[in-house]
Amino acid sequence: MSDMSYVRSEMLPERTPPASSVGFVGWARANLFNGIVNSILTIVSLVLIFLVLAALLPWLFSPTWNSGSLNECRDILNGHEGACWGVINERWEQLLYGFYPNGSEAGSIDQRWRPNLAFLLLFVAVIPVLFNMISRRMNWVLLLVALAYGAYAIGGTLGMIAVVVLLAAAVFVGYKAFSSDKATRAAEIEAGAKRLPNPLIFTAIFPFLVPFLLWGGSIWVFVGAALGFVLAGLAYRYLSTVVGSLAGMIISVLVAIVWWLFMIGPFASAMDAILPIALEQIESRKFGGFMLSITIGVVAIGISLPIGIVLALGRQSDLLIVKALSVGFIEFIRGVPLITLLFVASTLLNIFLPPGTNFDIILRVLIMVTLFAAAYMAEVVRGGLAALPKGQYEAADALGLDYWKAQRLIIMPQALKISIPGIVSTFIGVFKDTVLVSIIGLLDPLGLSNAIRADQAWNGVVWELYGFIAFMFFVFCFSMSRYSMYLERRLRTGHK
Amino acid sequence: MSSITLDHHADRSAMKVSDQVAIDIRGMNKWYGAFHVLRDIDLTVYEGERIVIAGPSGSGKSTLIRCINRLEEHQEGQIIVDGTELTSDLKNVDKVRSEVGMVFQHFNLFPHLTILENCTLAPIWVRKTPRKEAEEVAMHFLEKVKIPEQAHKYPGMLSGGQQQRVAIARSLCMMPRIMLFDEPTSALDPEMIKEVLETMVSLAEEGMTMLCVTHEMGFAKEVANRVIFMDQGQIVEQNEPEEFFNNPQSERTKLFLSQIL
């Protein structure tokens, strides 16, 4: 029995791991050559990758950037295989902006700064929502720089003065943001230093600013649209304490609708008389290319999420009518192909509207795509809601939180976090589905590519055009997918 | 079950029962569908009472205390908490819920919020306490349950016992007058049961009105002033702990005690 007793008299020191298990050698051994089968697979894959690249790269890097037609390309390539990039060189502006006025027509001026500015502002508006790593001050710097670009594009003496002022302000705020680190700034704020306004204010203005930029017209129409929301908010705030939250909500919605239907027109014309601010109006049929895709995509993505959340909650509601309406809407939309809805938007809707009404085609498409996305979003969010343990609802109830507070503070943050992969998949799907509008005659990138190939000079160009379009879509979709992974990592709170 | 013994004997001198009624339940009946879970419950709880509710599983004890803050609806009879009757009127329900704290078997902390945020959420959003004040109160209670150093961690990073103590602190931050415990130690390892029970004992020593569904008979003997035994949805026997454990009257109670002690 004495064999079993053992006492360690000395503790072993730490040793470095064997050289073959660390560094590149260790990594390659563990991941590429950890067995005969895997080694063979690795080598076969490397050969395949080499073959693909050997065929693709020479095609990709062909000196045809400045050619003016497919025939010129053929002359340059002289029988060799190669891409004909001249088509992208000549038509990239069209692929990006469609027929948005670029100053080439007589009497028109280049208006493309407007979508450019809208695109820049999109980033300024979404950054405070999507990321928490950028400071409040840096966000204002971005906004000032974007606005300086807008002022530069408008031009004129006033514009140039505005550029100088805006850039100076950006440099000043940016310098202050860089010169004080996080801790000192936090201490300053603690001590009562004034903070810059929350950048989310701009995010709230953005949805009204962008249609003004893109479509133009009087700014007061869009200010009026925004005022409807403000009025509804005020009505709810002051009435809900008096008549209860449900009645307050109904009244405030009515207030907004009445305002939008009857008051916007007089308001806009009155304001126009006092202070006319307007941009040249651009018709919807001039919209096209990626600008159109991004417009439809961003609107559908931005609006479908809140509608989807409401529908998901409606579907779970105890109120029979709310539930029936939600289920009916979701199942109807999911049961119909998007193309059918788009056809309804483009042709049928006009039949039902009173004659003479001019209901913008892009607006009709936006509504349909948004509703379509919202139905899918509702089901994704419902999946997240279903995954939450019942205890979370009970804990929220037991603490005295009412339904909306519990949803907002406890349930939705968790349900949405669970559904991030599904939500982003839906977003990506919606963005890619925007090319379907080419079927009803809108000139999205795919619609334009057909138009371009109908041109005598480029008849027969296929890979270059579709490759370019695919590449652009890939950039957007891949960014969304990476963002969703970043967000999942950021919101991970367990111990891992 | 009775293997957990508490280190120090609870100081019963501070545990005074007043003659103010905290909870009054009269002729309460509840059904799940056709199943009659609670039958003719009559129970009056005075302020400062520490009541332990025991009974076999499925006897309706959890359902009973969940009716007190209306996590479950009763169909017949009256439940009056602190003078407010629980009806379908949501205002009354919210009022009662903000006066009554509840601790669950599975803690039900909010995993997406830090410990401190878990504790300050309800005071800020329900009681409209300023954030700073709510944080001070939360830290006070976190110190009381002996985990102030975890305030900025997330629930997923804490052990079960620590999570349950946070859950208790979270309830206390609402300054409740009554605390309900729904098997607070059933999901815990033995060593952690002890730390949670000790927190509950110190709460009792401060005179909190407590209703506790538990299988910890050591806790019942030490702290409770009344033990209620339930079976098949009815209150079968209730008595002072000493009498209850040493001299049970009904056959059903005797059988139950012989099985768990």
Side-chain angles (χ1 to χ4, degrees):
Chain A
M1 289 305 275
S2 62
D3 285 346
M4 282 176 70
S5 104
Y6 168 79
V7 178
R8 182 176 287 284
S9 56
E10 215 180 327
M11 301 312 276
L12 297 174
E14 203 174 278
R15 286 194 304 152
T16 52
S20 62
S21 70
V22 290
F24 176 74
V25 178
W27 177 84
R29 269 174 70 116
N31 293 301
L32 299 178
F33 300 103
N34 61 346
I36 294 173
V37 178
N38 279 358
S39 302
I40 293 172
L41 282 177
T42 300
I43 290 166
V44 170
S45 311
L46 285 176
V47 170
L48 268 178
I49 292 172
F50 173 78
L51 287 177
V52 169
L53 287 182
L56 190 64
L57 287 181
W59 181 83
L60 218 49
F61 293 99
S62 74
T64 49
W65 185 248
N66 290 317
S67 60
S69 71
L70 193 56
N71 288 334
E72 274 184 47
C73 279
R74 292 201 176 116
D75 289 342
I76 295 170
L77 290 169
N78 201 8
H80 293 287
E81 282 290 309
C84 183
W85 293 121
V87 63
I88 307 297
N89 184 20
E90 194 182 287
R91 299 299 187 104
W92 68 272
E93 290 181 338
Q94 208 175 39
L95 283 170
L96 293 188
Y97 299 102
F99 295 99
Y100 211 80
N102 59 1
S104 63
E105 276 174 65
S108 75
I109 46 170
D110 191 353
Q111 299 281 5
R112 286 172 305 175
W113 65 272
R114 284 155 59 173
N116 288 346
L117 179 59
F119 192 61
L120 283 179
L121 291 177
L122 172 66
F123 286 97
V124 180
V126 297
I127 281 173
V129 181
L130 299 186
F131 302 96
N132 62 355
M133 60 195 178
I134 181 165
S135 77
R136 198 174 264 211
R137 291 202 274 198
M138 280 321 288
N139 210 71
W140 284 106
V141 171
L142 289 181
L143 178 61
L144 290 169
V145 172
L147 291 180
Y149 166 76
Y152 171 78
I154 292 171
T157 325
L158 259 169
M160 288 308 128
I161 294 170
V163 170
V164 172
V165 171
L166 286 167
L167 283 182
V171 168
F172 175 70
V173 178
Y175 169 73
K176 282 190 83 174
F178 273 116
S179 59
S180 65
D181 59 30
K182 249 186 180 164
T184 30
R185 181 65 185 156
E188 274 174 43
I189 290 165
E190 190 77 7
K194 254 200 193 153
R195 301 191 73 182
L196 284 169
N198 194 330
L200 288 174
I201 294 172
F202 177 72
T203 310
I205 296 172
F206 177 78
F208 304 98
L209 185 60
V210 160
F212 168 63
L213 277 176
L214 293 183
W215 277 275
S218 162
I219 195 172
W220 298 111
V221 176
F222 301 98
V223 173
L227 269 180
F229 284 99
V230 174
L231 283 177
L234 288 177
Y236 178 73
R237 189 163 171 189
Y238 291 108
L239 287 176
S240 63
T241 50
V242 185
V243 295
S245 63
L246 186 66
M249 206 178 285
I250 293 168
I251 293 176
S252 56
V253 169
L254 285 178
V255 165
I257 289 174
V258 167
W259 168 266
W260 283 324
L261 284 183
F262 303 111
M263 309 291 281
I264 277 194
F267 167 80
S269 46
M271 291 308 289
D272 269 334
I274 302 168
L275 183 68
I277 302 179
L279 283 172
E280 186 191 321
Q281 220 153 8
I282 312 286
E283 290 162 67
S284 279
R285 61 184 174 82
K286 302 214 162 164
F287 280 50
F290 277 98
M291 190 195 124
L292 180 65
S293 293
I294 294 171
T295 307
I296 298 174
V298 167
V299 171
I301 285 172
I303 303 181
S304 67
L305 184 59
I307 297 183
I309 290 173
V310 171
L311 285 172
L313 291 177
R315 193 167 189 162
Q316 287 209 323
S317 169
D318 298 331
L319 308 170
L320 190 67
I321 295 176
V322 173
K323 185 178 174 139
L325 284 176
S326 306
V327 173
F329 177 84
I330 293 170
E331 296 305 340
F332 172 73
I333 297 277
R334 290 207 310 164
V336 178
L338 179 56
I339 295 183
T340 314
L341 291 177
L342 289 176
F343 272 122
V344 169
S346 81
T347 54
L348 285 178
L349 221 50
N350 267 358
I351 298 172
F352 294 114
L353 290 172
T357 29
N358 182 17
F359 196 16
D360 191 277
I361 177 69
I362 292 187
L363 188 59
R364 281 181 273 163
V365 165
L366 280 177
I367 291 171
M368 284 304 182
V369 176
T370 303
L371 294 182
F372 186 78
Y376 281 85
M377 197 57 70
E379 288 299 282
V380 171
V381 173
R382 190 169 68 96
L385 287 172
L388 273 197
K390 202 163 162 256
Q392 293 292 312
Y393 293 87
E394 289 179 349
D397 282 347
L399 284 170
L401 293 166
D402 63 29
Y403 177 80
W404 290 110
K405 278 181 192 151
Q407 289 299 341
R408 192 173 120 208
L409 301 166
I410 310 297
I411 307 303
M412 272 308 151
Q414 296 184 61
L416 292 180
K417 183 182 140 190
I418 297 170
S419 351
I420 287 172
I423 291 176
V424 175
S425 286
T426 312
F427 283 172
I428 290 175
V430 169
F431 185 60
K432 290 193 295 190
D433 280 351
T434 57
V435 295
L436 288 178
V437 300
S438 63
I439 288 180
I440 56 165
L442 289 180
L443 291 171
D444 81 303
L446 278 192
L448 276 173
S449 76
N450 288 335
I452 292 170
R453 284 186 307 119
D455 183 340
Q456 186 113 51
W458 302 113
N459 196 342
V461 168
V462 178
W463 288 98
E464 295 80 353
L465 269 177
Y466 288 130
F468 176 73
I469 294 166
F471 174 74
M472 294 292 286
F473 270 105
F474 179 78
V475 168
F476 287 110
C477 296
F478 188 62
S479 323
M480 282 195 255
S481 131
R482 296 307 299 184
Y483 173 74
S484 97
M485 293 170 89
Y486 153 82
L487 193 62
E488 278 176 70
R489 266 200 311 280
R490 193 179 98 193
L491 296 178
R492 190 175 291 159
T493 55
H495 55 127
K496 268 176 196 153
Chain B
M1 288 290 172
S2 56
S3 60
I4 309 288
T5 47
L6 295 162
D7 282 343
H8 72 289
H9 284 284
D11 174 13
R12 278 187 176 261
S13 63
M15 303 185 196
K16 288 207 184 73
V17 176
S18 81
D19 52 3
Q20 288 273 341
V21 175
I23 303 169
D24 200 8
I25 302 177
R26 285 186 222 144
M28 192 256 277
N29 278 286
K30 173 169 177 61
W31 289 263
Y32 282 133
F35 177 55
H36 200 172
V37 263
L38 291 176
R39 306 178 194 178
D40 284 331
I41 304 286
D42 284 298
L43 177 65
T44 306
V45 180
Y46 295 94
E47 259 176 41
E49 275 205 282
R50 291 88 47 203
I51 296 180
V52 164
I53 304 173
S57 64
S59 59
K61 49 196 193 312
S62 284
T63 311
L64 172 60
I65 69 163
R66 288 159 61 87
C67 281
I68 294 172
N69 64 355
R70 211 176 170 82
L71 287 182
E72 305 280 358
E73 253 171 70
H74 61 283
Q75 281 98 10
E76 258 180 27
Q78 277 186 312
I79 302 178
I80 301 167
V81 182
D82 246 343
T84 312
E85 187 180 349
L86 283 170
T87 56
S88 54
D89 184 349
L90 287 178
K91 273 205 180 118
N92 283 352
V93 173
D94 282 339
K95 187 168 166 230
V96 165
R97 280 174 177 167
S98 60
E99 298 294 332
V100 178
M102 179 142 191
V103 176
F104 299 87
Q105 180 178 358
H106 296 289
F107 332 134
N108 295 352
L109 293 177
F110 305 130
H112 62 301
L113 301 174
T114 63
I115 300 307
L116 189 62
E117 287 164 345
N118 263 280
C119 293
T120 55
L121 182 111
I124 290 174
W125 289 92
V126 179
R127 289 245 192 274
K128 313 281 180 212
T129 317
R131 175 175 298 273
K132 217 160 185 169
E133 201 184 314
E135 279 176 1
E136 277 161 20
V137 171
M139 285 313 290
H140 166 77
F141 283 113
L142 286 175
E143 262 158 45
K144 206 156 156 184
V145 300
K146 303 198 179 72
I147 32 180
E149 70 282 356
Q150 314 281 8
H152 296 286
K153 289 192 183 165
Y154 287 95
M157 302 167 178
L158 268 56
S159 73
Q162 289 173 322
Q163 290 195 40
Q164 193 59 296
R165 283 184 284 154
V166 171
I168 294 173
R170 177 176 73 177
S171 290
L172 292 176
C173 285
M174 285 293 278
M175 309 284 183
R177 304 170 53 142
I178 301 162
M179 285 286 283
L180 308 174
F181 293 86
D182 188 2
E183 306 204 23
T185 54
S186 301
L188 296 175
D189 292 342
E191 350 170 26
M192 295 174 180
I193 293 182
K194 202 160 151 185
E195 61 188 50
V196 170
L197 287 182
E198 270 159 13
T199 309
M200 289 166 63
V201 169
S202 74
L203 200 58
E205 283 171 347
E206 286 167 20
M208 176 68 77
T209 311
M210 294 163 72
L211 270 86
C212 188
V213 173
T214 184
H215 298 293
E216 295 300 331
M217 292 305 140
F219 174 79
K221 283 176 187 162
E222 198 64 45
V223 174
N225 70 316
R226 180 155 40 137
V227 180
I228 293 177
F229 177 70
M230 287 184 71
D231 191 28
Q232 295 176 10
Q234 306 159 61
I235 295 177
V236 174
E237 186 165 351
Q238 54 174 318
N239 214 332
E240 287 176 3
E242 196 141 323
E243 279 292 295
F244 179 84
F245 289 111
N246 298 336
N247 190 17
Q249 299 297 312
S250 96
E251 285 306 312
R252 191 64 195 87
T253 318
K254 283 177 192 162
L255 182 67
F256 177 74
L257 288 176
S258 71
Q259 278 165 347
I260 66 160
L261 288 178

